[in-house]
Amino acid sequence: MFENLSERLSGVFDRLTKQGALSDEDVKTALREVRVALLEADVSLPVARDFVKAVQDKATGQAVTKSITPGQQVVKIVHDALIDVLRGEGEPGALKIDNAPAPILMVGLQGSGKTTTTAKLAKRLKDRDGKRVLMASLDVNRPAAMEQLAILGVQIGVDTLPIVKGENPVQIAKRAKTQAAMGGYDVYMLDTAGRLSIDEELMQQVEAVRDVANPRETLLVVDGLTGQDAVQTAENFNDRIGISGVVLTRMDGDGRGGAALSMRAVTGKPIKFVGLGEKMDALETFEPERIAGRILGMGDIVALVEKAQETIEAEQAEKMMRRMAKGQFNMNDLKMQLEQMLKMGGMQGMMGMMPGMGKMAKQVEDAGFDDKILKRQIALIQSMTKKERANPALLQASRKKRIAKGAGMEVSELNKLMKMHRQMGDMMKKMGKMGKGGMLKQAMKGMMGGKGGMDPSQMDPKALEAAAKQMGGKLPGMGGMGGGMGLPGGLSGFGKKK
């Protein structure tokens, strides 16, 4: 449902990769496009306007964390703002159903999936919360509406109120209340009639039922495909009846999804559930975090940014970069790099969070490279003395034997680690010689986008593949987040499973 919006927003964020603090102009340009993307997705104008203003206030001039690119920082701010727009009060999916029997009133227009949703919710209450539920159809207008609910009740194993012809909705509601009290039910659900559009008669009927039942929850069922019309409906129902939450149906469709974003902002009522198909268990709790992540197509990037903020000492990384430029790259530096990768979920964990890096993650797996290898390398370095770590040139045959034995490994594995360290050191020296802000900075930017934060949009998958081929199908060097140069080609030798 959110595909188009996702595409538009990722396009906007891909272009936000300038360095340093964000200038007002960068933010304005990006947010102008964000607003257009929201409007195209059928989000109502006032909501889009407020949303953009909230983001602009947060993003302008914000000093960007050293390890991430500004683009990703803005993604994080937009993500948080999206959650604010979508989040209602209380826990998502929680219903007030104390004081048995608790009445739940289901309202909405005809064709929005009210009866099916009533049954889905009843099944959920029965299966998940262990409640005894009674369903009653108050729809005396639509042919076979009552029979439909009765059939669904049999399907899901939930009792329905016996049908008595000729009763009006208020009488049915009273009978449901009595039966629920006598039968020891925890919850009784009233499925009211809908109309094709809102009219006075419908509203009076629902008001009368509400006054009789005095419901604990009044849930408005809205078809997610109707766009802005759904928001209008929600406003009208809220003004006349007073709703406590919204259930959006057909969220698995290809509508534009703007209704979901506008609904909460306009009515102030939370979206509690979403219907995702015809099956009786296709009802999900509406979780703002997940939906926001889905809309941005980068819930994973957000997680990566947060992880980076948690694990990376920006100052430390800067210091290390200066040492590397001078060619002073010792085993302590390598150990720090490896530990940093592990903290961030290892090689595959990091790649899994980056959109479009699925192919690379697969390559990593096929090469037999798992995080155990990182741990083994760290163990080897820990087996060295302080002197040896600071000056790996000291490592001769007898020392190597002692170190390998201390880590419970073979000397050949230590040799591979040393080769990798040497290659990295050489690479650093070469880059350092190319001038202070020269090649080293360029390489950092290329590999990690901006100032050391990994930026998938800057990594050309074709170039990565070509590099992999050059190395005989083995992994190219990956950027070690946070200003380090990560693991180069020498690492490929480790990727053989024993």
Side-chain angles (χ1 to χ4, degrees), residues 126-152:
K126 177 181 81 114
D127 296 348
R128 287 198 180 195
D129 306 331
K131 302 286 183 195
R132 283 198 68 209
V133 185
L134 175 71
M135 300 191 295
S137 173
L138 277 55
D139 192 344
V140 292
N141 308 357
R142 186 165 62 93
M146 293 177 156
E147 286 79 359
Q148 183 193 353
L149 193 66
I151 290 165
L152 289 173

Side-chain angles (χ1 to χ4, degrees), residues 47-67:
V47 176
R49 205 182 282 138
D50 294 349
F51 178 82
V52 167
K53 190 176 181 323
V55 173
Q56 188 159 357
D57 293 347
K58 277 191 201 162
T60 312
Q62 172 155 353
V64 177
T65 314
K66 290 187 181 181
S67 55

Side-chain angles (χ1 to χ4, degrees), residues 138-418:
L138 277 55
D139 192 344
V140 292
N141 308 357
R142 186 165 62 93
M146 293 177 156
E147 286 79 359
Q148 183 193 353
L149 193 66
I151 290 165
L152 289 173
V154 172
Q155 258 182 41
I156 59 173
V158 169
D159 297 340
T160 48
L161 190 72
I163 298 168
V164 176
K165 296 286 177 201
E167 280 189 336
N168 67 28
V170 173
Q171 289 167 320
I172 301 172
K174 281 180 180 165
R175 189 158 55 90
K177 192 176 185 175
T178 314
Q179 172 118 1
M182 285 166 58
Y185 290 96
D186 299 309
V187 178
Y188 64 102
M189 302 185 68
L190 304 173
D191 176 25
T192 60
R195 294 279 195 287
L196 290 174
S197 65
I198 289 170
D199 59 25
E200 194 49 40
E201 191 192 341
L202 164 72
M203 282 305 185
Q204 282 172 354
Q205 196 183 83
V206 177
E207 277 173 350
V209 170
R210 178 199 63 195
D211 296 342
V212 168
N214 195 9
R216 301 287 292 134
E217 292 274 359
T218 303
L219 298 180
L220 172 68
V221 182
V222 180
D223 183 344
L225 296 182
T226 52
Q228 283 308 297
D229 213 29
V231 182
Q232 208 69 43
T233 306
E235 258 191 300
N236 288 332
F237 269 100
N238 193 33
D239 293 345
R240 287 292 297 268
I241 316 295
I243 59 174
S244 61
V246 179
V247 182
L248 271 182
T249 59
R250 296 203 223 178
M251 286 287 282
D252 52 333
D254 55 0
R256 288 176 171 175
L261 289 175
S262 312
M263 189 79 65
R264 154 89 189 94
V266 173
T267 62
K269 301 295 177 208
I271 298 169
K272 288 189 179 268
F273 301 100
V274 285
L276 296 166
E278 291 302 311
K279 293 203 172 93
M280 282 293 116
D281 51 5
L283 186 75
E284 267 187 25
T285 306
F286 182 84
E287 288 174 11
E289 285 83 359
R290 273 191 22 223
I291 300 284
R294 204 182 296 176
I295 290 173
L296 289 179
M298 2 183 117
D300 29 23
I301 271 286
V302 171
L304 187 63
V305 167
E306 281 175 351
K307 267 218 166 107
Q309 282 173 329
E310 282 164 29
T311 60
I312 286 167
E313 298 288 328
E315 304 307 319
Q316 205 183 12
E318 288 275 315
K319 213 187 294 175
M320 188 153 114
M321 193 169 150
R322 282 197 296 274
R323 287 168 44 75
M324 285 175 175
K326 289 180 193 160
Q328 302 168 334
F329 179 71
N330 63 27
M331 285 292 180
N332 289 321
D333 297 319
L334 180 57
K335 179 169 168 268
M336 196 174 98
Q337 288 269 293
L338 296 169
E339 283 170 346
Q340 204 163 279
M341 283 184 68
L342 270 181
K343 265 192 208 163
M344 295 193 61
M347 192 74 134
Q348 273 162 291
M350 278 161 60
M351 283 185 178
M353 290 183 196
M354 298 193 305
M357 292 294 280
K359 206 184 265 181
M360 285 292 292
K362 184 88 183 80
Q363 255 188 341
V364 174
E365 210 175 330
D366 294 347
F369 182 100
D370 60 21
D371 294 339
K372 279 190 201 136
I373 292 165
L374 294 178
K375 287 177 185 156
R376 289 159 76 104
Q377 290 169 318
I378 292 169
L380 279 167
I381 297 174
Q382 279 170 334
S383 187
M384 298 173 190
T385 64
K386 275 187 183 172
K387 212 171 180 183
E388 286 165 344
R389 279 185 227 178
N391 184 7
L394 292 173
L395 298 182
Q396 299 312 324
S398 59
R399 289 186 188 237
K400 282 185 187 174
K401 268 187 198 160
R402 189 201 82 242
I403 291 164
K405 200 173 179 187
M409 281 175 242
E410 300 296 320
V411 174
S412 59
E413 290 187 78
L414 177 58
N415 286 336
K416 281 178 191 167
L417 178 74
M418 290 179 67

Side-chain angles (χ1 to χ4, degrees), residues 446-461:
M447 285 174 86
M448 301 174 214
K451 208 172 178 187
M454 228 182 233
D455 182 0
S457 62
Q458 299 297 310
M459 294 186 179
D460 178 11

